[in-house]
Amino acid sequence: MSENPFEACYGGPGSPVPQPVLNNGTGHFEDVEPHPNYNFITGNVPCYDFNDPVALNLIKEQVPVILRGADLVSSAMKWDLDYLSTHIGGGRFAVFIRNAAADRSAVAQLQSSSNQSQSCQPEPLHIFKYFDEKKLAALQEKSTFQSTMVRIEMTFQEFLKRFQGDRSQERVYLQQPLNNTVGPQIASDFIQFNWSWAAEHKKEFNWGPLTSNLLLIGQKGNITPCHFDEQQNLFCPLRGRKKIILFNPDNFPYLYPYPVHHPNDRQSQVSLNFSQRYFAVNLQR
């Protein structure tokens, strides 16, 4: 079986994406976990052949699609943890960390500073909710906002050690721009991406300038809560499986985004994955 999750979309153009058993990047195959039961109606993103005119028209109309057989990043399809460990270089890379001990400390500090009578619990370790460090600094003492997610720069070998550690005590998520910090072999693979397709269709679709190319490596079960990005995305999976839930922009007001000046700007206050009251939500004075 191919390790490309979107290579085989069965049933013809526009068919739903199948849920295959996929390689987890370590040479082993894992069964797909059952879908949770959401209290809203879900569907499937349509799947079309790469360069199918119907798919390109949908993209132009800002409708999400899955492109089958795309060669956008074919030179990176050999990237797995072993390959990256050998070739990514000795630079330092951005890793977001959730730690159980830090969570307990932050909860205690919050309850002490805010004199809350109602107990609070931290978000589960596998939840990685983005926050803006600059907006947090600007608030200073105007908010009781606390985040238990920290960003640390470390070598890839240091990341691997934590990646393979006890996930009940710590979770990690690498989010590194592909820039001059990577080794020459990774840079060579990067140069071979299908940039001509991206440049041609960026103009056709009236997209903005290319702002970043992120390498994302997460542990099984990691979740990025509901949010919106500020630019168009071409998401190219290399290993494993990632489920993405997309909402129509018409639903925006019902997803209750945080205020613009809140550190969690662009994030939804609605939880799709857990129902308890967690301390990182809505704690502005």
Side-chain angles (χ1 to χ4, degrees), residues 183-204:
Q185 183 59 54
I186 299 299
S188 175
D189 295 338
F190 177 72
I191 291 172
Q192 296 177 59
F193 289 1
N194 191 347
W195 296 110
S196 60
W197 187 96
E200 174 188 351
H201 290 88
K202 178 178 76 71
K203 182 177 181 180
E204 178 185 351

Side-chain angles (χ1 to χ4, degrees), residues 5-6 22 173 216 222 224 235 237 239-244:
F6 299 148
L22 296 174
Y173 189 8
L216 306 174
N222 283 6
T224 303
F235 182 81
R239 290 290 188 276
R241 178 176 181 267
K242 181 169 185 173
K243 178 166 63 179
I244 300 175

Side-chain angles (χ1 to χ4, degrees), residues 15-66:
S15 61
V17 179
Q19 306 299 330
V21 178
L22 296 174
N23 192 318
N24 66 7
T26 63
H28 302 288
F29 286 82
E30 300 181 80
D31 289 329
V32 173
E33 294 180 344
H35 292 287
N37 293 320
Y38 296 107
N39 58 357
F40 51 86
I41 298 172
T42 60
N44 292 296
V45 176
C47 178
Y48 292 89
D49 287 330
F50 188 52
N51 281 327
D52 186 315
V54 175
L56 298 180
N57 284 333
L58 288 174
I59 295 173
K60 192 171 184 178
E61 296 172 6
Q62 303 196 57
V63 175
V65 299
I66 293 171

Side-chain angles (χ1 to χ4, degrees), residues 132-173:
D132 190 315
E133 294 178 348
K134 293 182 179 179
K135 291 185 178 182
L136 179 58
L139 286 175
Q140 296 292 331
E141 298 180 356
K142 297 179 182 178
S143 174
T144 59
F145 176 86
Q146 293 277 347
S147 176
T148 53
M149 184 175 74
V150 296
R151 179 185 182 276
I152 297 178
E153 293 192 352
M154 62 182 68
T155 66
F156 196 78
Q157 298 303 322
E158 292 170 333
F159 164 71
L160 278 184
K161 184 177 180 180
R162 302 178 87 147
F163 182 89
Q164 296 162 352
D166 183 355
R167 298 181 185 181
S168 68
Q169 297 301 310
E170 183 175 82
R171 287 271 182 164
V172 294
Y173 189 8

Side-chain angles (χ1 to χ4, degrees), residues 15 130 207:
S15 61
Y130 168 84
W207 290 350

Side-chain angles (χ1 to χ4, degrees), residues 88-93 176-183:
I88 202 168
R92 305 187 73 82
F93 306 106
Q176 174 61 29
L178 292 172
N179 51 32
N180 58 7
T181 63
V182 302

